[in-house]
Amino acid sequence: MATGLAVPLALSALGGALIGHFTSCVWPQALGLTLLVVWAAHRWRLLVLLAVTACVAGQLWWMRGGELPEGLSRQELVLEGQLTKVSGGDGRARLEMVVDQCRPRAEGLPGCEGLSRVRLSAYDAPSMSRGERWQLVVRLRPPSGFANPGAFDYRAWLWREGIQATGYVRRDPPPRRLETAGFSPRRWALAYLDDLELSPRTARWLAALTLGAGERLTDADWDLLNASGTTHLMVISGLHVGLVAGFALWLARGLAWCLTPGGWRMAIWPWWLAGVAAVGYASLAGLEPPAARAMIMVLVGLWVASGRHAPGPWQAWWLAFALVEIWDPLAVWRPGTWLSFGAVALLILIWQGRPRPKGVGGWLWALGRTQLLLAPVMAGAVLLAFARLAPSAPLVNLIAVPWVGSLMVPLGLAGWLVAWAPPLSEFAWSVFGSLAGGLAVGLEAAVRVAPLWQPDPAVAGPLGGGLILVGLLWALPGLSMRLRLVGTALLACLPLWLMPPLPRPGVLRVRVHDVGQGQLVALHTAHYRALIDTGPRFASGFMPLTTLWPEGQRFDDVIVGHDDRDHAGGLVGLMDSHLVGRYLAPPDSELPVETEPCVAGRHWRRDEVDFRVLWPPARAEGLSDNDRSCVLLITAGHRRLLITGDAGARVEHELVAKLDGPVDVLVAGHHGSKTSSSPGFLAIARPRQVIFSAGRDSRFGHPAPVVVRRFRRLGSCLWNTAEDGAVTLWLGDEREDRIESQRRPDWRRGGVGGECLALESPPSMPAAPR
């Protein structure tokens, strides 16, 4: 293909990805008709570009169309397919499956023939291995995740990974193995490692660095790599594939020199052999998206380096981008794609037009300078992509990149090359283990001195952009030294201007977090932070609270409404990672922390905002656990917020006399259950805004349709964290009296009632009693 097509080809692939993601199903017909017209007109160049657009968009339409229909959520389905990932332990396995067949067990349900890839949890499952075919009975739900400001977007991650449903494997009927896994070099290599007497870290890091088995790394490994900014070194990337290709090229050109001393420089077969080595190594690593992307970039790089009819560096960059997009249409949405291509683009800028370094000293200076110029740009890009910054990353990578790339990876690969001679491989891997231990010690020391920083989302974006600009000021050729110094000085002052916005005295920021079936409300005034409840803790041990803030936060008060797991489940994570001034809870609560009584009549005032406990009474004998919930009334200016926890209709009857008029905002009682929000109570409270803290596809079916209708008859504006994500509002100042949601569901984008158009979603299955 002519290299002149590289840029149009890349833009066509990018356009196809955007069209496939953002447009509806009417576009396939429009693209098909356009292709026919262009074909009839014999516009072959345009036909190729449109075909690429249609191919990329079509793959995304097909994946999106295969997502699990809402009507099958939590229904029993029979899946047959091949396991592509198996990880986990302690009786719980995490599986990914490529689905060959899908059918509902019950009659009269929609079909699921388009389902192609799912992510599953299996409890007390039999031994399972990657590559095996299984028949599983599962319960699934469409891809979803919590949506909170600055937190990990699990729903977006599922989309990037091509996962069309998530769920769990049923124990009855039990899973049935249909076919054992065939021979796989990667599986053999991992089994071979398991049989060796290597230290756990050596085995894990060797599997990750040489075989791309990142699933073998522990959470502690990933935390250390993230905090030190070295995650890119522990996945199969361009560094690793490039080393393999470079080593193969060096050997092949040496052999060519021996065979044809006079013409070895012109021999083309060493370059082909290097390309074959790159493809083989990426295939051994499973051709996961990072490995496939690295393979394509290395192949194009080999073409450029060979010098025979090769494109220039920028044409090669665009060509590689196009090929990656055609190979993996989801690459546009993967941050790794932009980090990889951004780094390569910066390397082209840094090295293009510069003389080749001379001598060892010249090369060391050039490589050090390159790393220093890359550091601020990559730090800014990571800040924009992941809202975190590893302050130690620039200096750490100066050592870690050559340490891993020049020592650990070659030793790890050398061990595989001499695996037929165990003493040699064991020696290579023992040295590898020593280097891995030394690297871990160095990374831990760097993280202790400069721990991972997760700034406020309002700060992360501008600061990331500023770091990228600093790097470009020094990397771009032709800029004057004065411009670079002045620009750097101005950008260095950026953190002084980027202070996270705080409420003014008398203003309260309220955020009802999206934590699934549970409740966690964060309150923030100018100098006061409090939590109402701590969210759930699931059977797997996961606590949504641990994803909301970086460690080391300070909360003045934590009020645990009552001790059910969906309200107090995150308490352990809060105690382990954050500082709390005092805990309040209803009397006789069974909690793992010392608490002060949260009882009616208790009152405090912070930054001109009043906090008053309305319930329970000091003596609460005879009340159920739900009816002992702590009820809090908060007043900011002329606005009032009421949080009733899981209190039922009996308590609401007692609250009527205490309310003294309507409230502006109500966090609906018991997540919208029909045991709360009684008609008599609502007739007095008459909230303008109502927020349901509920879980998506929850078996409890919250909010109950009858409760939704009660609020709609009052004219209340309804919000549901299951659909809207986290809901944030400001009370106390008319200029800031507004409400925002983290998600913008389609049903809130228009129609009668505007943003107050209510979504009444009866549960897909009968609600379980509670």
Side-chain angles (χ1 to χ4, degrees):
M1 178 182 297
T3 56
L5 268 179
V7 176
L9 197 65
L11 295 179
S12 297
L14 180 60
L18 296 176
I19 290 172
H21 182 59
F22 291 110
T23 60
S24 63
C25 59
V26 70
W27 276 81
Q29 293 87 343
L31 267 179
L33 181 60
T34 304
L35 279 169
L36 288 175
V37 171
V38 173
W39 186 20
H42 302 291
R43 302 291 298 274
W44 305 118
R45 180 184 173 109
L46 183 58
L47 181 65
V48 169
L49 299 178
L50 285 175
V52 168
T53 300
C55 176
V56 174
Q59 292 181 70
L60 292 177
W61 281 319
W62 176 77
M63 283 186 284
R64 194 169 62 180
E67 287 190 359
L68 186 76
E70 292 282 353
L72 293 180
S73 182
R74 295 191 297 111
Q75 302 291 339
E76 288 195 350
L77 307 176
V78 181
L79 303 183
E80 291 185 11
Q82 185 177 57
L83 301 181
T84 58
K85 288 185 181 179
V86 179
S87 61
D90 299 326
R92 178 175 180 264
R94 175 72 71 185
L95 314 173
E96 285 190 18
M97 171 184 270
V98 173
V99 180
D100 300 327
Q101 295 182 28
C102 174
R103 58 179 175 83
R105 293 191 75 191
E107 299 291 334
L109 292 175
C112 54
E113 297 81 5
L115 196 66
S116 62
R117 194 174 181 196
V118 297
R119 181 175 167 89
L120 303 166
S121 294
Y123 299 90
D124 298 325
S127 176
M128 295 178 168
S129 298
R130 176 175 173 165
E132 295 177 336
R133 293 191 72 255
W134 284 80
Q135 182 184 82
L136 307 174
V137 176
V138 302
R139 280 186 174 169
L140 301 177
R141 64 178 185 175
S144 62
F146 304 132
N148 293 290
F152 176 67
D153 191 340
Y154 183 59
R155 172 68 180 89
W157 181 84
L158 290 172
W159 159 256
R160 294 195 298 267
E161 295 300 308
I163 305 296
Q164 296 169 314
T166 61
Y168 63 94
V169 178
R170 300 281 288 168
R171 298 175 186 172
D172 185 27
R176 183 162 66 93
R177 185 185 282 108
L178 301 177
E179 186 179 316
T180 58
F183 174 76
S184 163
R186 183 177 190 268
R187 194 159 44 250
W188 171 86
L190 290 173
Y192 182 81
L193 278 183
D194 292 337
D195 292 337
L196 297 177
E197 295 183 0
L198 299 173
S199 70
R201 176 184 285 138
T202 300
R204 293 195 310 268
W205 286 28
L206 185 61
L209 272 174
T210 62
L211 300 173
E215 68 275 7
R216 296 213 164 190
L217 296 178
T218 64
D219 290 341
D221 288 330
W222 286 117
D223 290 342
L224 178 61
L225 295 169
N226 285 326
S228 58
T230 53
T231 308
H232 61 101
L233 297 178
M234 203 58 64
V235 296
I236 298 298
S237 64
L239 173 66
H240 309 80
V241 180
L243 283 172
V244 170
F247 181 67
L249 180 63
W250 178 73
L251 285 179
R253 297 197 83 185
L255 181 60
W257 180 80
C258 294
L259 296 175
T260 55
W264 68 275
R265 295 181 183 274
M266 301 301 294
I268 194 64
W269 63 267
W271 299 93
W272 282 99
L273 187 61
V276 169
V279 172
Y281 182 56
S283 301
L284 179 65
L287 275 182
E288 295 292 327
R293 180 173 66 243
M295 177 191 72
I296 291 171
M297 297 176 77
V298 167
L299 290 176
V300 175
L302 286 171
W303 183 23
V304 173
S306 70
R308 289 199 172 189
H309 311 292
W314 285 112
Q315 289 174 316
W317 189 93
W318 284 104
L319 180 60
F321 184 83
L323 294 175
V324 167
E325 282 304 303
I326 295 170
W327 177 284
D328 176 21
L330 290 172
V332 166
W333 318 110
R334 301 185 200 275
T337 301
W338 299 103
L339 291 174
S340 297
F341 279 96
V344 173
L346 189 58
L347 287 173
I348 294 173
L349 284 174
I350 293 171
W351 283 89
Q352 193 171 27
R354 296 186 183 275
R356 185 184 182 89
K358 296 179 180 179
V360 176
W363 275 105
L364 289 176
W365 161 246
L367 292 175
R369 177 182 179 276
T370 299
Q371 183 61 39
L372 289 174
L373 291 175
L374 276 173
V377 175
M378 300 313 296
V382 169
L383 197 55
L384 290 175
F386 303 110
R388 65 173 185 252
L389 183 65
S392 61
L395 294 178
V396 164
N397 276 286
L398 278 175
I399 300 172
V401 169
W403 187 277
V404 173
S406 301
L407 298 175
M408 290 178 62
V409 173
L411 277 169
L413 295 176
W416 288 115
L417 288 176
V418 296
W420 52 271
L424 295 177
S425 63
E426 290 174 9
F427 173 76
W429 288 339
S430 66
V431 179
F432 174 96
S434 299
L435 292 172
L439 178 64
V441 169
L443 296 182
E444 289 166 357
V447 170
R448 282 195 298 271
V449 173
L452 184 70
W453 181 48
Q454 294 177 263
D456 186 278
V459 172
L463 186 58
L467 285 170
I468 291 174
L469 288 175
V470 168
L472 291 177
L473 279 174
W474 292 92
L476 289 172
L479 299 182
S480 68
M481 183 58 67
R482 177 179 295 178
L483 176 60
R484 288 171 173 167
L485 292 174
V486 171
T488 302
L490 291 174
L491 291 169
C493 299
L494 193 60
L496 302 177
W497 307 329
L498 294 176
M499 299 299 293
L502 293 175
R504 294 190 297 275
V507 176
L508 172 70
R509 191 193 74 182
V510 181
R511 178 166 290 153
V512 183
H513 281 282
D514 179 15
V515 293
Q517 184 59 38
Q519 181 168 287
L520 193 162
V521 183
L523 309 175
H524 203 323
T525 69
H527 305 98
Y528 175 76
R529 289 181 74 182
L531 297 180
I532 312 296
D533 293 323
T534 62
R537 182 175 186 175
F538 299 114
S540 63
F542 173 68
M543 295 170 283
L545 177 142
T546 60
T547 68
L548 299 179
W549 308 283
E551 293 186 5
Q553 301 295 302
R554 162 112 187 143
F555 299 95
D556 297 281
D557 288 329
V558 172
I559 301 140
V560 182
H562 71 131
D563 52 17
D564 276 6
R565 192 166 63 176
D566 59 339
H567 290 253
L571 199 55
V572 174
L574 190 71
M575 294 163 56
D576 290 344
S577 303
H578 306 291
L579 303 174
V580 177
R582 65 175 177 175
Y583 292 91
L584 292 91
D588 301 322
S589 296
E590 297 181 2
L591 298 172
V593 66
E594 184 176 346
T595 63
E596 297 182 17
C598 179
V599 294
R602 190 152 195 166
H603 168 264
W604 63 97
R605 183 178 175 85
R606 298 287 187 278
D607 298 319
E608 303 176 23
V609 177
D610 285 306
F611 301 83
R612 187 178 302 275
V613 179
L614 302 184
W615 190 267
R619 301 180 62 84
E621 293 83 357
L623 293 178
S624 68
D625 188 44
N626 283 348
D627 282 349
R628 291 170 58 247
S629 293
C630 189
V631 176
L632 193 66
L633 178 66
I634 306 169
T635 305
H638 301 292
R639 304 298 187 191
R640 303 206 301 168
L641 163 70
L642 181 64
I643 303 173
T644 62
D646 282 356
R650 174 184 173 183
V651 173
E652 290 177 344
H653 178 73
E654 299 290 334
L655 292 177
V656 167
K658 300 174 180 288
L659 278 183
D660 190 26
V663 299
D664 297 278
V665 182
L666 172 68
V667 178
H670 204 175
H671 319 288
S673 167
K674 60 185 178 183
T675 62
S676 301
S677 304
S678 55
F681 170 70
L682 296 187
I684 300 299
R686 304 189 66 83
R688 293 192 304 124
Q689 307 277 354
V690 177
I691 304 170
F692 298 106
S693 181
R696 193 180 182 98
D697 294 315
S698 167
R699 64 191 179 92
F700 300 111
H702 296 153
V706 63
V707 172
V708 172
R709 288 193 288 270
R710 286 175 193 164
F711 283 114
R712 290 307 296 160
R713 283 194 290 270
L714 289 175
S716 301
C717 181
L718 306 186
W719 305 81
N720 184 356
T721 59
E723 298 290 339
D724 296 301
V727 179
T728 306
L729 57 136
W730 288 259
L731 300 177
D733 189 329
E734 294 296 335
R735 292 171 294 176
E736 296 192 32
D737 191 9
R738 64 189 188 276
I739 188 165
E740 298 174 353
S741 64
Q742 187 67 14
R743 289 197 192 101
R744 298 285 294 171
D746 292 338
W747 58 273
R748 283 206 185 276
R749 291 180 181 144
V752 178
E755 291 199 344
C756 288
L757 184 63
L759 176 66
E760 187 171 323
S761 299
S764 55
M765 296 178 64
R770 191 181 182 192

